[in-house]
Amino acid sequence: MNSLKSPMEENIPNLTRRKFINITGLTAAAALGLQQISCSGTKHSGKNVSTFEAPKIAGFETAAESDVDHKGWQPVSDRKIRVGLVGYGASRFSAAFGFQDHPNVEVIAVSDLFPDRCAALAKTARCSKTYPSLEELVKDDNIEAVFVATDAPSHALHAIEVLNHGKHVATAVPAIFGSLEEADKLHEAVTSSGKKYMMFETSFFREDNYAMRQIYNADGFGKLVYSEGEYYHYAGDNWPASYKEWRIGIPPQFYPTHSNAYYICVTGGSFIDVSCLGMKSVTKDFQVGANKYNNQFATEIALFRTSEGGMSRMAVSWDTPGPENEIGRVRGQKGSFYEKYVGLEKTLPSLVRPPLPATISPGGHGGSHGRLTDEFITAILQDRQPLVDIGMALNLSAAGIVA
């Protein structure tokens, strides 16, 4: 059996413009002939001793809730999907999306490598069964779907492990980490499994992004001439704790999905060409030899050519104190969106986001958490592809690696 290497354990490949076009343009259309792989899911090594303290992390502020968030929700089934939750680190992510509160979900088991975190997750998720690792949890035949909220460098490896055990999988962002080879392997695992895959891209259900997508689909913009997305997450020299310090010194464009969403999630398109500029940081974590990536850039700005011929400027920065933003704007041949629509179309579709069950909160990242969970569960119940499927997930993630 072959094990996938973490991107931190292998050299980042030499990326060419042609390779970029193949991955981001064709993968979404399932046009690549990819090699099938199998994965044993190597357990992480290290002491099971946690110094876990949940810090305040930008984006996790719970959105204000109103009757509009729940008005009109109708169940599509009375069946409960049996779910496993994995990962309860600094962001407590696996419990932050409300699986335990959804009326069509039964949380069967939870897992974290650290026993104290695992126990805390079990309590929050109101679940009595725990496993010491994802590799053990996926062997549970009672589980139908798994939410992977582990360290970002392991998302693809862990998603493949779940799929190889015949279960649906949802994962936190990004889909892949620093490796286009991972994109090929993950794409093949999803398409050959017949199971649902969804990446929980929080910008997708932010109010502005959802409105732009509705208007775009109603041809209120025409083709987008220009779009921009910004993801600013300042930490200075006080980064949140992370498994094996994967956050420390991370190249910004390894984590590009929140900004790239302001073109890709709006249009369903992709990027086909890129140039990128970076600026060296003054903080201690981004100096030569200070991080495992040997990376000095804490700000990277990418300029993309889009699949419909327009241009996108996508910014990711860890180095600028100020508002913590996931925000974007678009300009099209028939209209624009800068906080509101201005354009030629006089009759717009509803811009109200999909309603939620009464028991589940909209949650953080602008009220996207609950809606992502509802979308994943509903896609399983309706036997359809989730909105953020493998093609969109790879388009959101791979573009940053090339940039």
Side-chain angles (χ1 to χ4, degrees), residues 92-120:
R92 300 186 178 183
F93 230 36
S94 60
F97 288 80
F99 280 94
Q100 62 274 13
D101 299 320
H102 197 287
N104 291 111
V105 170
E106 180 184 0
V107 177
I108 293 291
V110 303
S111 177
D112 191 278
L113 292 177
F114 298 97
D116 58 337
R117 298 181 185 185
C118 192

Side-chain angles (χ1 to χ4, degrees), residues 37-336:
I37 59 96
S38 59
C39 171
S40 63
T42 304
K43 293 183 176 68
H44 291 299
S45 60
K47 297 178 180 178
N48 283 346
V49 177
S50 172
T51 56
F52 176 47
E53 292 182 13
K56 267 189 177 178
I57 299 178
F60 281 78
E61 304 85 359
T62 300
E65 194 168 352
S66 72
D67 291 342
V68 175
D69 288 307
H70 306 287
K71 185 177 181 181
W73 183 81
Q74 295 290 331
V76 299
S77 171
D78 59 2
R79 189 165 83 83
K80 288 182 180 288
I81 304 298
R82 302 184 301 276
V83 173
L85 304 177
V86 183
Y88 203 60
S91 61
R92 300 186 178 183
F93 230 36
S94 60
F97 288 80
F99 280 94
Q100 62 274 13
D101 299 320
H102 197 287
N104 291 111
V105 170
E106 180 184 0
V107 177
I108 293 291
V110 303
S111 177
D112 191 278
L113 292 177
F114 298 97
D116 58 337
R117 298 181 185 185
C118 192
L121 174 56
K123 182 178 180 180
T124 301
R126 304 185 294 277
C127 171
S128 59
K129 185 182 288 188
T130 63
Y131 288 100
S133 68
L134 174 141
E135 290 83 1
E136 294 301 317
L137 180 140
V138 293
K139 297 175 185 177
D140 190 329
D141 292 335
N142 288 322
I143 295 173
E144 298 175 79
V146 176
F147 179 47
V148 173
T150 56
D151 56 300
S154 298
H155 287 170
L157 179 131
H158 286 159
I160 291 169
E161 180 75 355
V162 173
L163 292 164
N164 284 347
H165 279 80
K167 305 179 193 306
H168 308 292
V169 64
T171 176
V173 304
I176 55 176
F177 195 83
S179 166
L180 295 186
E181 182 185 2
E182 266 193 354
D184 290 348
K185 292 174 179 177
L186 179 59
H187 184 267
E188 173 61 23
V190 174
T191 54
S192 63
S193 72
K195 297 298 180 180
K196 312 302 179 195
Y197 170 96
M198 180 172 167
M199 187 180 77
F200 273 31
E201 174 45 58
T202 54
S203 290
F204 189 96
F205 276 118
R206 281 190 176 274
E207 209 164 11
D208 58 349
N209 198 296
Y210 181 80
M212 292 179 202
R213 183 165 58 259
Q214 293 296 94
I215 295 168
Y216 181 88
N217 288 338
D219 200 33
F221 295 128
K223 289 185 177 180
L224 294 190
V225 174
Y226 178 72
S227 52
E228 56 188 22
E230 298 170 353
Y231 178 40
Y232 301 127
H233 195 319
Y234 180 69
D237 286 324
N238 298 293
W239 282 84
S242 55
Y243 188 68
K244 295 186 177 181
E245 297 188 336
W246 71 264
R247 292 183 187 273
I248 303 299
I250 177 178
Q253 289 289 342
F254 274 21
Y255 209 90
T257 66
H258 296 328
S259 49
N260 288 349
Y262 281 91
Y263 177 76
I264 290 172
C265 290
V266 171
T267 66
S270 62
F271 299 133
I272 62 172
D273 200 2
V274 65
S275 62
C276 186
L277 294 174
M279 185 171 181
K280 292 181 180 180
S281 176
V282 297
T283 61
K284 66 178 178 61
D285 290 330
F286 289 86
Q287 305 304 312
V288 173
N291 59 71
K292 62 184 65 184
Y293 310 100
N294 198 28
N295 172 47
Q296 300 178 65
F297 297 97
T299 298
E300 293 173 338
I301 313 296
L303 180 64
F304 294 101
R305 174 71 70 183
T306 72
S307 53
E308 60 185 339
M311 292 141 287
S312 284
R313 180 191 65 83
M314 297 300 175
V316 187
S317 177
W318 320 134
D319 216 20
T320 52
E324 303 278 354
N325 283 339
E326 295 169 18
I327 194 168
R329 295 154 291 279
V330 303
R331 295 193 74 93
Q333 294 170 330
K334 297 170 63 177
S336 302

